């Protein structure tokens, strides 16, 4: 109980509250600007958390994520251009509502549904992470190896359009993770005599280059090829009429849509590889099927906005379940949070509850505070967000580029980090253009050391493969499940090239 | 996209083979004698998977029927020029930043990118100067993190 109280006390310090407010505000702004995304902001923000208390650091980044998912809906509703991929469907009903002179009503529904989805998923996280971690503590290296193989198969299958490219990306990530000193023998691996490589490649520098700068390069290429312009953004005024406010009755009238979206988002988020876009797509489809007036969807129906926004925000909390309970990041944001934890000297996984309990409970309290902050800032800022949509994208991209350079330097404490970041920016650009899932590379890079460690220990502990099958049946079961997932996923994609598969690929 | 995939598959195979035959044997320390797996084990596994996946992708695309719907190539001839330009900006900014400091190198990158986006020269100059100064003040004075 002391651990819980200490954690909550950490969460309510003025310093922590300030960083939650900053994180949520930054997230809403970044999410609202088309072309920028919450993972980009988190990648750049990770090195800046070096000097912070662990709870403040993680709370700041979680705040960015929560704010970013809501922020994505703002540009979807006001200018019919999604700020986040997962908010693309919000434009279907949000923008028509805005054009009917009710932009504020659409934004308010989006905000309240987002916060409700957030709270629902956070409660599930709080209730389920610790019991799952207790279960995970009973796993030995063979079981962990099985879970990792299954996770790789799941992520490589679901993220991106080709399993082969996904597995190649995962292997490239694992290979990059082997750079540095061997953890068991201390021997040099692929360091080429460069002292800076002895500690391996900086995770933050790799992530910033791959996620943030790589995306900047893709967008600037549009200007280079003259396919993009700083076109004038036609904004919708927020000075709507009397019917432009969301009443309590209207919100409560959508409770089924919000609940359905929250449940779908929470379930999807807990599975590695599936992200907010898939959750939003499934929730919208489920809502249409359940509706008595499905033909009205796409014309400005509040239930449509409610289902999508509650689902894509619910993914945030539940995506932390596999991260905290098993140490497995299932999304780009979760992968970046691993980096933030490691910077603080904390290894996410089942031991975190035992060794850093106060941090975990501080994080849980911060998640709830961030929901409240999101609600307050979202309400206050309704009239101001539209202004930021008018900033020319060229200025935003140049600003992000220089933030990346600064982050690369902070990540490594030397110009070597800047060089690594720049190299991975070009690598990330090429991966995007060639449709290799760069998130899978990053997850492979993060899980590589854990995979190698469990593989080594499994080999040492068990000379006879037969004993593994009899004594540790979870390993062959997880491998079989991984193969089944890969085959099913590949067949489904090749059969239909479904919208769902594209949504999963978009979560890259 | 088919041609691009064939090229990227060939690059993957070449990279994997070079890693397996040349790089890993030369640049990974020799094995341990305590029954544990040698340091080169995981690099070999990863490089073997990369080679295998490259070969699989190559075969997949070769066998792809001509009637199959194909998407336009994401990399066009102009992409090479773009990557060269970006690399040039990176190198110039990196060298100047390392030699003279953040406040000299950062404006080169901002100005270079804004020049590509064809922003007006007045905006380029003002933002290329103001933005690095603001970030430098934030890092050096507020967060107490020294920049180069």
């Amino acid at each position: 109980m002391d651990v819980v109280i200490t954690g909550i006390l950490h969460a309510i310090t003025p310093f922590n509250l300030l960083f939650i407010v900053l994180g949520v505000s930054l997230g809403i702004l970044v999410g609202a600007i088309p072309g920028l995304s919450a993972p980009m902001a988190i990648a750049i923000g990770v090195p800046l958390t070096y000097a912070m208390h662990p709870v403040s650091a993680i709370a700041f980044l979680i705040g960015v994520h929560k704010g970013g998912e809501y922020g994505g809906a703002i540009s979807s509703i006001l200018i019919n251009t999604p700020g986040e991929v997962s908010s693309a469907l919000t434009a279907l009903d949000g923008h028509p509502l805005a054009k009917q002179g009710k932009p504020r009503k659409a934004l308010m529904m989006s905000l309240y549904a987002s916060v409700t989805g957030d709270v629902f998923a956070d409660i599930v996280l709080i209730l389920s992470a610790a019991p799952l971690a207790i279960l995970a503590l009973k796993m030995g290296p063979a079981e962990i190896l099985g879970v990792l193989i299954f996770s790789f198969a799941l992520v490589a299958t679901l993220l991106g359009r080709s399993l082969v490219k996904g597995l190649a990306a995962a292997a490239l990530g694992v290979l990059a993770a082997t750079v540095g000193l061997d953890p068991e023998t201390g021997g040099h691996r692929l360091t080429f005599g460069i002292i800076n490589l002895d500690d391996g490649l900086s995770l933050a520098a790799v992530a910033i280059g791959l996620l943030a700068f790589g995306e900047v390069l893709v967008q600037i290429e549009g200007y280079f090829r003259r396919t993009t312009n700083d076109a004038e953004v036609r904004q919708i005024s927020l000075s709507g009429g009397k019917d432009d406010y969301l009443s309590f009755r209207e919100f409560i009238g959508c409770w089924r849509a919000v609940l359905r979206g929250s449940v779908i988002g929470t379930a999807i988020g807990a599975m590695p590889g599936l992200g907010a876009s898939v959750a939003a797509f499934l929730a919208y489809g489920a809502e249409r099927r359940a509706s008595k007036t499905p033909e009205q969807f796409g014309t400005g129906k509040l239930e449509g906005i409610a289902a999508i926004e509650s689902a894509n925000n619910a993914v945030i909390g539940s995506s932390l379940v596999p991260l905290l309970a098993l140490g497995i990041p299932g999304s780009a944001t979760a992968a970046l949070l691993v980096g933030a934890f490691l910077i603080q000297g904390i290894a996410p996984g089942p031991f975190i509850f035992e060794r850093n309990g106060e941090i975990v409970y501080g994080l849980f309290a911060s998640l709830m505070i961030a929901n409240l902050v999101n609600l307050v800032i979202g309400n206050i800022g309704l009239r101001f967000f539209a202004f930021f949509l008018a900033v020319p994208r060229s200025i935003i991209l140049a600003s992000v580029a220089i933030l990346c350079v600064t982050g690369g330097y902070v990540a490594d404490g030397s110009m070597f980090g800047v060089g690594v970041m720049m190299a991975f920016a070009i690598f990330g650009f090429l991966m995007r253009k060639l449709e290799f899932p760069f998130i899978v590379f990053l997850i492979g890079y993060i899980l590589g050391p854990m995979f190698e460690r469990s593989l080594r220990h499994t080999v040492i502990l068990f000379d006879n493969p037969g004993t593994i099958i009899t004594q540790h049946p979870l390993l062959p079961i997880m491998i079989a499940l991984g193969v089944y997932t890969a085959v099913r996923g590949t067949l489904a994609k090749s059969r239909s090239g479904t919208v769902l598969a594209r949504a999963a690929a978009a979560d890259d | 996209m088919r041609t691009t995939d064939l090229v990227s598959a060939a690059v993957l195979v070449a990279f994997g083979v070079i890693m397996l035959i040349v790089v890993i044997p030369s640049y990974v320390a020799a094995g341990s004698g305590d029954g544990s797996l040698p340091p080169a084990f995981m690099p070999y596994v990863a490089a073997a998977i990369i080679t295998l996946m490259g070969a699989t992708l190559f075969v997949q695309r070769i066998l792809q029927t001509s009637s199959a719907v194909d998407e336009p190539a994401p990399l066009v001839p102009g992409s090479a020029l773009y990557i060269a330009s970006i690399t040039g900006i990176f190198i110039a900014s990196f060298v100047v930043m390392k030699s003279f400091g953040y406040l000299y190198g950062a404006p080169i990158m901002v100005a270079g990118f804004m020049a590509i986006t064809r922003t007006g020269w007045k905006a380029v100059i003002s933002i290329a100067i103001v933005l690095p100064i603001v970030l430098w003040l934030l890092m050096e004075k507020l967060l107490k993190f020294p920049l180069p």
Side-chain angles (χ1 to χ4, degrees):
Chain A
M1 197 62 194
D2 286 349
V3 175
V4 178
I5 293 168
T6 312
I8 293 170
L9 288 176
H10 272 311
I12 58 172
T13 57
F15 197 66
N16 195 58
L17 294 175
L18 173 70
F19 275 103
I20 292 174
V21 171
L22 283 175
V24 171
S25 309
L26 180 68
I28 293 176
L29 286 183
V30 168
I33 296 169
L36 300 188
S37 64
M40 279 173 81
I42 295 171
I44 298 167
V46 167
L48 303 178
T49 60
Y50 271 108
M52 294 183 196
H53 184 277
V55 173
S56 304
I58 306 297
F60 170 71
L61 299 174
I62 290 282
V64 173
H65 197 187
K66 282 182 184 282
E69 283 298 342
Y70 162 61
I74 296 170
S75 51
S76 278
I77 290 166
L78 296 183
I79 58 171
N80 202 22
T81 307
E84 298 273 339
V85 181
S86 56
S87 298
L89 287 172
T90 308
L92 288 179
D93 284 288
H95 192 62
L97 208 56
K99 285 206 290 190
Q100 291 162 23
K102 302 168 191 169
R104 193 188 301 266
K105 181 178 281 200
L107 286 173
M108 287 171 86
M109 174 51 86
S110 161
L111 175 64
Y112 299 154
S114 294
V115 173
T116 311
D118 266 333
V119 171
F120 183 89
D122 291 346
I123 291 170
V124 172
L125 166 73
I126 292 166
L127 295 177
S128 64
L132 263 175
I134 292 168
L135 205 66
L137 279 174
K138 292 179 178 162
M139 296 199 297
E143 285 78 12
I144 292 172
L145 183 66
V147 171
L148 287 174
I149 290 172
F150 174 67
S151 301
F152 275 132
L154 198 64
V155 168
T157 307
L158 295 176
L159 291 176
R161 293 188 192 175
S162 158
L163 171 68
V164 175
K165 286 184 177 181
L167 288 175
L172 282 166
V174 172
L175 183 66
T178 63
V179 173
L181 298 180
D182 179 62
E184 307 257 328
T185 65
H188 287 83
R189 296 197 296 192
L190 306 173
T191 56
F192 307 102
I194 301 167
I195 296 168
N196 295 78
L197 285 178
D198 281 0
D199 292 331
L201 298 162
S202 158
L203 170 60
V206 171
I208 293 170
L210 213 56
L211 287 174
F213 216 151
E215 182 59 36
V216 168
L217 294 187
V218 169
Q219 294 196 32
I220 288 183
E221 194 201 14
Y223 290 92
F224 188 81
R225 289 166 61 179
R226 294 178 187 254
T227 54
T228 309
N229 276 313
D230 271 344
E232 271 187 50
V233 176
R234 199 174 61 81
Q235 286 179 243
I236 286 177
S237 167
L238 278 176
S239 52
K242 271 192 284 186
D243 195 26
D244 194 20
Y245 282 88
L246 183 77
S247 67
F248 183 71
R249 183 188 288 268
E250 281 174 313
F251 178 68
I252 290 298
C254 293
W255 73 270
R256 283 192 182 88
V258 173
L259 183 65
R260 232 186 311 269
S262 301
V263 171
I264 290 172
T266 304
I268 293 293
M271 285 187 249
L274 295 173
S277 303
V278 175
F281 177 82
L282 288 177
Y284 192 70
E287 200 49 45
R288 268 191 77 156
R289 277 194 299 278
S291 173
K292 288 174 184 162
T293 52
E295 72 284 354
Q296 288 179 8
F297 278 76
T299 61
K301 202 157 168 64
L302 281 173
E303 283 86 349
I305 303 170
I308 295 164
E309 288 303 312
S310 55
N312 64 22
N313 266 67
V315 166
I316 300 170
S318 60
S319 69
L320 295 178
V321 175
L323 180 70
L324 291 177
L326 304 168
I328 294 174
S331 65
T333 314
L336 293 168
L337 289 177
V338 172
F341 273 114
L342 293 177
I343 283 171
Q344 300 288 341
I346 299 166
F351 288 106
I352 196 171
F353 288 88
E354 206 172 86
R355 295 173 186 162
N356 304 97
E358 75 284 0
I359 306 291
V360 177
Y361 290 106
L363 170 64
F364 288 164
S366 298
L367 284 168
M368 286 301 183
I369 295 168
N371 295 335
L372 189 65
V373 170
N374 202 2
L375 187 65
V376 173
I377 292 181
N379 255 321
I380 296 172
L382 278 175
R383 68 181 68 234
F384 304 112
F385 297 139
F387 294 120
F388 290 96
L389 301 178
V391 178
R393 194 179 291 188
S394 55
I395 292 175
I396 290 166
L397 292 175
S399 309
V400 174
I402 202 62
L403 277 168
C404 290
V405 171
T406 313
Y409 185 84
V410 176
D412 198 68
S414 71
M415 284 303 290
F416 188 77
V418 177
V420 169
M421 190 278 299
M422 287 175 170
F424 275 92
I426 293 176
F427 183 61
F429 169 79
L430 290 173
M431 286 191 95
R432 280 171 174 85
K433 300 303 275 185
L434 299 171
E435 294 193 343
F436 280 81
F438 56 92
I439 300 297
V440 181
F441 173 91
L442 193 61
I443 290 175
Y445 180 74
I446 289 168
L447 291 182
M450 195 202 277
F451 181 73
E452 183 176 16
R453 195 168 50 245
S454 47
L455 181 63
R456 276 180 153 168
H457 291 174
T458 305
V459 170
I460 293 170
L461 287 172
F462 307 102
D463 292 336
N464 181 4
T467 58
I468 295 181
I469 294 168
T470 52
Q471 292 176 9
H472 300 272
L474 192 63
L475 175 60
I477 289 171
M478 294 310 278
I479 292 173
L481 268 177
V483 172
Y484 174 76
T485 306
V487 172
R488 275 295 301 267
T490 307
L491 285 177
K493 281 179 188 177
S494 62
R495 258 202 313 269
S496 57
T498 56
V499 183
L500 188 61
R502 285 172 190 277
D507 272 324
D508 271 6
Chain B
M1 192 67 204
R2 183 171 176 262
T3 313
T4 319
D5 274 353
L6 282 171
V7 174
S8 51
V11 170
L12 274 181
V13 172
F15 173 77
V17 169
I18 291 170
M19 289 300 293
L20 288 169
I21 296 173
V22 182
V23 179
I24 297 174
S26 309
Y27 293 100
V28 177
S32 61
D34 60 355
S36 173
L37 293 170
F41 177 76
M42 192 47 75
Y44 271 127
V45 170
I49 294 173
I50 291 165
T51 312
L52 186 67
M53 290 304 126
T56 309
L57 184 62
F58 194 86
V59 173
Q60 271 187 350
R61 292 298 175 262
I62 285 285
L63 295 177
Q64 192 177 35
T65 55
S66 55
S67 61
V69 179
D70 205 6
E71 292 172 19
L75 287 174
V76 294
S79 299
L81 184 63
Y82 173 67
I83 293 169
S85 309
I86 290 297
T87 309
I89 294 171
F90 277 3
I91 291 171
S93 172
F94 185 90
V95 169
V96 172
M97 200 180 288
K98 192 169 183 186
S99 309
F100 302 103
Y102 180 85
L103 286 175
Y104 297 92
I108 292 176
M109 176 166 289
V110 178
F113 279 5
M114 291 187 77
I116 290 177
T117 57
R118 280 177 278 282
T119 312
W121 66 271
K122 284 179 187 168
V124 170
I125 291 174
S126 54
I127 290 169
I129 292 170
V130 171
L131 198 59
I133 291 174
V134 170
L135 277 172
W136 185 84
L137 287 172
L138 176 77
M139 297 305 294
E140 290 264 351
K141 304 297 173 191
L142 200 68
L143 297 175
K144 306 286 180 196
F145 193 98
L147 291 173

